[in-house]
Amino acid sequence: MKDLDEREERRSALKGLGCSRKRVEDVRFTQGKGHYVDDISMPGMLHGDFVRSPYAHARVVSIDASKALALPGVVAVLTAKDLEPLSLHWMPTLAGDKQMVLADGKVLFQGQEVAFVVAKDRYIAADAVELVEVEYEELPVLVDPFEALQSDVVLREDIKDAKEGAHGPRKHHNHIFTWEEGNAEATEQAIGAAEVVAEEMIYYHRTHPCPLEPCGTVASMDKVNGKLTIWGTFQAPHVVRTVASLLSGIEEHNIRVVSPDIGGGFGNKVGVYPGYVCAIVASIVTGVPVKWIEDRMENLMATAFARDYWMKGRIAATKEGKITALDVHVTADHGAFDACADPTKFPAGFFHIVTGSYDIPVAHVAVDGVYTNKAPGGVAYRCSFRVTEAAYCIERMIEVLAIELGMDAAELRRINFIKKEQFPYQSALGWEYDSGDYHTAWDKALKAVDYEGLRKEQAERVEAFKRGETRKLLGIGLTHFTEIVGAGPVKNCDILGMGMFDSCEIRIHPTGSAIARLGTISQGQGHATTFAQILASEIGLSADSITIEEGDTDTAPYGLGTYGSRSTPVAGAATAMAGRKIRAKAQMIAAYLLEVHDDDLEWDVDRFVVKGAPERFKTMKDIAYAAYNQAIPGLEPGLEAVSYYDPPNMTYPFGAYICVMEVDVDTGEWEVRQFYALDDCGTRINPMVIEGQVHGGVTEALAIAMGQEIAYDEMGNCKTGTLMDFYLPTAWETPNYTTDFTETPSPHHPIGAKGVGESPNVGGVPAFSNAVHDAFRAFGLRQSHMPHDHWRIWKIAQSLGLHQ
Ligand code: MCN
Ligand code: CUM
């Protein structure tokens, strides 16, 4: 008993796996001591600012910069003509397309970069932007992707005759790609033979990650030693370095990319933006550092949006509700350039996870990418590569099918879930789900909210409404989602040809503390806290004695960065594997010190103990000291390790979310009465950090489902370019959340962990949206598009005849 207590004490002193260790980052963040890109200031530094297009589609007739150049303090005004000799007026996108850095003959969306002003300070640059005279000739605007596919108007004149794009044949001059997965014929047959078929168009509107800190960079070309340093808001610093090298011709060892503290990323900072290229060119030309920081409007109007997927679903089932087939056709509005950031093979990301948590025998998806006069981008905002669109689609289709069948939607889910014993499960669309136990999670969730009691209350409410006793309806929003996170494997996943592995390098210091560097980069996820915990449990040093460093390509091992909730599944695995290499060498050192054979030792929390002789041991601290200070025959001095981890599969976190919402029929106002979120992300590293991720992600889901939207008028004017128009919930509007969990480890991850960062958004959006729909189910509502703001909810009630 005493031994056990003592061991537990040692274990908890490590603050390793499972510990709700406080976030070490927060000391500086809460004291305003974070160091962001805009905090960087260098002697002689210049500032850039963009002239942007007021039109969504126009020819650029002329650009006259003479007045701007005459303004004291203005150093240069760059246009496409200046970049052309360097072949930098266009740049490759991460999706195999190319994008104008500065308007080359025409503009294709409102807010597009037309000219880059470089001046002595930010204010002069802004004043000079006003003085640049651009003459435009307006062209017809296409904002509707369906119309774009029919229209004679050619958006991308540069590729108007190209029959092939980066992802195969193009059907029309505004078409980007068709991408398909699954068995079309068998699916069509199953749908044709089905007893019940539900069909619906599900729209997931265009939205935006809107991180607190907008995008920015400081580029500094040191002409003396030929080194280019780029600080920036980058979610993938190594990729930026490689791309910068390929584009500029500067050898990669002469480029250093640093991501300092990042004030939120949410996918917005994966892409490469014209501002980065222009700042780099301006620094190379002037030989002094150049800073570019966008403002809020620029961030909302011109950087990577998310979603804009029109999903036509057809789901077939037996009368008893057993699903027999699923077909989805997506019309995907990618805006002016295809600047998604998906693995090369997957132009629609992992959308083919659209069979969700259900055992669906045959399925087929096809996605058509389309150009329109809107900002480019297309993959961002806690999305895991289009998984949130897929989850929304299937979770809405299940609800629609439940209506068609006259069935309870919780029961319909239950009878179609993939069963525990079916894992690893091969989905009809080609994925191998690693592990799951959906029934247990579902039952736990339903019980926690007293589902039956809620349905009873809801039925009573409907009756009371009909009797005229209340004007509020009750909606119960159900969701069971399955996520797919942790790209690689390298054999399937690359970005611009770079395989999606990740890495960790560890150095143990002589006194028994350590530094670990990773190929990922935290934007608020708490990596410095949690990766130290993985390592603490692996190597037996306290997490408090381990520094985690990310984001500097001069010191960190090559990695593909942080997005798609891949850090834990990939870099987390690399961390554990590197830790195990440290431990293997430590064992040899301990054996030497204790004068026993390696095999006579066993690992015990923070030390190697001689089997059967517990009083004889060496702690990791003892071993670290010996590694540097004692000559050990046959062993090199030092204690370091590096691991590059190529995951054998992705991880498949899942969850059960339930939202209980009151909806006022007369005003369209809603109130979230209860939100229950059960997440299963396998082995939990830090329950408190997970809870924080869930709170943040569900709040963003609330924003998306209930109000957030990047909207355009028919002229292509962005109507939501400020935070007056773009809904960003504050603490005041954010409901109380109940979090819960089950723990089904990943069988292939070294510590069994799956990602969690995006799960709450993937699961949250359908939960909120289903709650709104469910409130009106008794009155005949089948499908209504998000965002469910008060006006749209009011319109639902109006269309159902619920207003007297
Ligand atoms: N974690 C854990 N146990 C697990 C899984 C994760 O304790 N089983 C912890 C991790 O150690 C990490 C955090 O949870 O500290 C998130 O881990 P993970 O799910 O691996 O996701 P990433 O670290 O790769 O973060 C990316 C993900 C994405 S893609 C978006 S978008 C998003 C998100 O994280 N952007 C965020 N959460 C965010 N949170 C903040 N504060 N800011 C952002 O920009
Ligand atoms: Cu897709 S948003 Mo996150 O992957 O950075």
Side-chain angles (χ1 to χ4, degrees):
M1 205 49 216
K2 189 169 152 283
D3 279 2
L4 269 181
D5 288 350
E6 186 265 349
R7 178 172 294 130
E8 267 326 299
E9 239 168 68
R10 281 193 281 125
R11 198 189 305 280
S12 65
L14 295 181
K15 303 190 186 170
L17 289 187
C19 170
S20 281
R21 181 182 186 224
K22 282 197 178 156
R23 290 179 21 129
V24 296
E25 296 89 339
D26 290 350
V27 178
R28 72 175 184 280
F29 290 154
T30 54
Q31 295 185 16
K33 295 279 164 38
H35 194 70
Y36 301 90
V37 176
D38 206 13
D39 292 325
I40 296 168
S41 184
M42 299 175 80
M45 187 171 78
L46 300 174
H47 298 259
D49 195 6
F50 278 111
V51 176
R52 292 179 183 271
S53 170
Y55 297 110
H57 196 196
R59 214 161 289 294
V60 177
V61 180
S62 64
I63 302 175
D64 181 355
S66 54
K67 286 191 184 129
L69 284 166
L71 187 73
V74 173
V75 176
V77 178
L78 299 179
T79 64
K81 286 213 165 46
D82 303 304
L83 298 182
E84 195 171 350
L86 307 165
S87 296
L88 285 174
H89 55 320
W90 288 72
M91 63 178 180
T93 71
L94 297 178
D97 195 0
K98 54 183 183 144
Q99 172 176 358
M100 288 180 215
V101 173
L102 291 171
D104 184 23
K106 72 189 267 190
V107 287
L108 284 157
F109 66 95
Q110 188 185 50
Q112 187 177 332
E113 300 79 359
V114 175
F116 189 67
V117 174
V118 185
K120 292 227 150 73
D121 73 38
R122 184 71 177 77
Y123 300 97
I124 297 173
D127 288 345
V129 162
E130 300 296 323
L131 296 175
V132 176
E133 288 169 356
V134 187
E135 194 188 327
Y136 297 96
E137 185 186 298
E138 283 184 73
L139 295 167
V141 171
L142 296 172
V143 287
D144 178 314
F146 297 98
E147 193 192 329
L149 281 180
Q150 306 295 329
S151 173
D152 293 338
V153 177
V154 178
L155 299 182
R156 290 288 300 278
E157 285 163 26
D158 58 305
I159 50 168
K160 81 174 186 311
D161 298 320
K163 298 276 174 263
E164 286 279 319
H167 308 286
R170 299 172 66 215
K171 297 179 196 165
H172 180 266
H173 51 250
N174 296 327
H175 179 247
I176 311 173
F177 63 82
T178 301
W179 178 80
E180 260 187 289
E181 194 62 72
N183 189 332
E185 208 177 309
T187 305
E188 218 44 67
Q189 240 166 35
I191 291 174
E195 291 173 345
V196 181
V197 179
E199 188 172 331
E200 202 57 65
M201 174 64 94
I202 314 283
Y203 179 48
Y204 198 138
H205 56 298
R206 178 177 277 239
T207 176
H208 192 280
C210 194
L212 281 185
E213 181 198 22
C215 301
T217 190
V218 175
S220 175
M221 183 72 212
D222 183 334
K223 294 212 172 177
V224 176
N225 60 24
K227 291 243 177 208
L228 171 66
T229 306
I230 310 165
W231 292 269
T233 46
F234 307 133
Q235 289 183 230
H238 283 97
V239 179
V240 171
R241 186 185 72 187
T242 302
V243 173
S245 173
L246 292 172
L247 287 182
S248 68
I250 300 172
E251 277 195 275
E252 205 164 348
H253 73 106
N254 277 330
I255 301 178
R256 177 180 172 211
V257 175
V258 185
S259 292
D261 284 332
I262 298 181
F266 307 108
N268 188 237
K269 292 163 181 172
V270 174
V272 175
Y273 297 121
Y276 304 157
V277 179
C278 289
I280 292 169
V281 171
S283 180
I284 292 175
V285 173
T286 60
V288 290
V290 176
K291 179 190 271 191
W292 167 72
I293 307 279
E294 63 182 8
D295 65 24
R296 179 62 61 196
M297 286 180 72
E298 294 179 292
N299 180 257
L300 280 171
M301 287 176 65
T303 62
F305 72 93
R307 332 292 189 230
D308 220 340
Y309 256 35
W310 292 90
M311 304 175 283
K312 182 73 181 283
R314 286 182 299 152
I315 190 163
T318 64
K319 285 200 296 279
E320 292 73 38
K322 188 79 192 79
I323 300 171
T324 52
L326 175 73
D327 180 81
V328 183
H329 180 267
V330 181
T331 303
D333 185 341
H334 284 232
F337 307 97
D338 185 8
C340 286
D342 296 310
T344 305
K345 271 193 198 171
F346 304 108
F350 304 150
F351 185 78
H352 44 319
I353 193 78
V354 69
T355 52
S357 308
Y358 312 103
D359 185 14
I360 303 181
V362 286
H364 172 249
V365 309
V367 180
D368 279 301
V370 185
Y371 291 122
T372 58
N373 290 118
K374 301 181 191 169
V379 76
Y381 210 176
R382 292 217 195 200
C383 65
S384 333
F385 304 121
R386 305 287 191 187
V387 178
T388 179
E389 288 91 327
Y392 186 64
C393 182
I394 185 67
E395 290 304 299
R396 282 299 311 138
M397 288 309 293
I398 290 279
E399 294 284 317
V400 172
L401 179 63
I403 293 170
E404 196 79 39
L405 290 160
M407 238 180 116
D408 175 76
E411 185 54 22
L412 178 60
R413 284 180 173 83
R414 188 203 310 276
I415 62 175
N416 286 291
F417 281 147
I418 299 160
K419 296 188 189 71
K420 190 178 167 184
E421 56 276 14
Q422 287 177 279
F423 292 93
Y425 172 81
Q426 198 68 44
S427 87
L429 293 175
W431 297 114
E432 187 188 293
Y433 294 23
D434 60 347
S435 64
D437 182 355
Y438 301 164
H439 285 96
T440 300
W442 196 235
D443 290 344
K444 192 173 181 184
L446 296 182
K447 194 156 167 242
V449 300
D450 181 21
Y451 181 67
E452 274 173 34
L454 283 173
R455 282 292 178 211
K456 226 173 118 225
E457 184 188 343
Q458 184 186 42
E460 283 162 8
R461 184 73 71 87
V462 168
E463 289 314 313
F465 180 86
K466 287 179 178 163
R467 289 194 302 268
E469 291 163 16
T470 178
R471 297 299 291 163
K472 282 189 182 175
L473 296 174
L474 187 68
I476 305 163
L478 302 174
T479 287
H480 191 288
F481 64 93
T482 295
E483 255 269 63
I484 168 170
V485 298
V490 170
K491 67 178 188 307
N492 290 331
C493 294
D494 71 274
I495 285 198
L496 287 184
M498 285 168 277
M500 299 180 74
F501 59 86
D502 229 289
S503 59
C504 173
E505 183 194 276
I506 305 168
R507 286 186 199 173
I508 310 288
H509 309 314
T511 50
S513 67
I515 182 163
R517 297 186 169 103
L518 286 82
T520 44
I521 173 72
S522 184
Q523 311 126 39
Q525 293 90 345
H527 292 176
T529 306
T530 54
F531 286 124
Q533 293 181 249
I534 296 178
L535 211 47
S537 288
E538 289 293 338
I539 64 174
L541 295 176
S542 167
D544 290 342
S545 307
I546 302 169
T547 297
I548 299 290
E549 205 180 270
E550 298 177 304
D552 184 338
T553 59
D554 263 10
T555 52
Y558 203 103
L560 271 279
T562 292
Y563 43 85
S565 303
R566 63 187 298 282
S567 303
T568 302
V570 194
T575 305
M577 297 309 268
R580 286 171 197 183
K581 289 184 188 175
I582 296 273
R583 212 161 86 185
K585 182 168 177 185
Q587 183 163 5
M588 292 191 259
I589 298 171
Y592 173 80
L593 298 174
L594 290 162
E595 298 180 356
V596 295
H597 191 273
D598 294 6
D599 295 343
D600 295 329
L601 293 175
E602 60 190 355
W603 178 250
D604 178 21
V605 183
D606 57 355
R607 60 194 57 184
F608 279 105
V609 178
V610 177
K611 285 179 192 162
E615 71 290 351
R616 297 192 60 212
F617 62 84
K618 288 288 170 192
T619 65
M620 200 64 183
K621 264 183 182 297
D622 302 333
I623 296 165
Y625 194 75
Y628 290 92
N629 297 306
Q630 198 154 342
I632 299 171
L635 276 187
E636 289 176 8
L639 197 49
E640 299 187 6
V642 58
S643 167
Y644 287 83
Y645 190 81
D646 177 9
N649 190 4
M650 312 235 205
T651 66
Y652 296 75
F654 59 94
Y657 286 10
I658 300 174
C659 171
V660 184
M661 189 186 279
E662 301 263 356
V663 177
D664 188 312
V665 167
D666 295 320
T667 62
E669 284 174 292
W670 47 267
E671 191 191 332
V672 176
R673 192 169 88 184
Q674 186 181 4
F675 196 100
Y676 170 90
L678 179 150
D679 271 280
D680 191 319
C681 54
T683 304
R684 299 176 350 130
I685 300 160
N686 183 323
M688 187 191 67
V689 166
I690 293 171
E691 192 176 28
Q693 287 292 306
V694 174
H695 283 192
V698 176
T699 303
E700 290 179 328
L702 171 93
I704 293 170
M706 306 311 291
Q708 217 169 63
E709 181 184 22
I710 293 288
Y712 293 86
D713 67 13
E714 69 282 5
M715 304 285 287
N717 294 308
C718 179
K719 298 193 288 181
T720 50
T722 78
L723 293 184
M724 292 291 284
D725 310 295
F726 187 79
Y727 173 52
L728 204 66
T730 63
W732 189 78
E733 292 127 308
T734 303
N736 208 21
Y737 305 124
T738 308
T739 57
D740 203 347
F741 68 100
T742 54
E743 201 159 346
T744 313
S746 165
H748 61 77
H749 187 283
I751 61 165
K754 303 180 178 186
V756 77
E758 291 162 303
S759 293
N761 206 285
V762 169
V765 173
F768 288 112
S769 181
N770 283 347
V772 174
H773 284 92
D774 186 67
F776 293 101
R777 176 173 168 174
F779 301 93
L781 179 68
R782 243 174 97 106
Q783 174 61 21
S784 176
H785 297 325
M786 293 190 289
H788 307 295
D789 52 22
H790 298 164
W791 160 237
R792 285 185 176 91
I793 292 178
W794 183 89
K795 277 203 298 191
I796 294 173
Q798 176 78 352
S799 71
L800 296 173
L802 301 183
H803 294 152
Q804 280 101 348

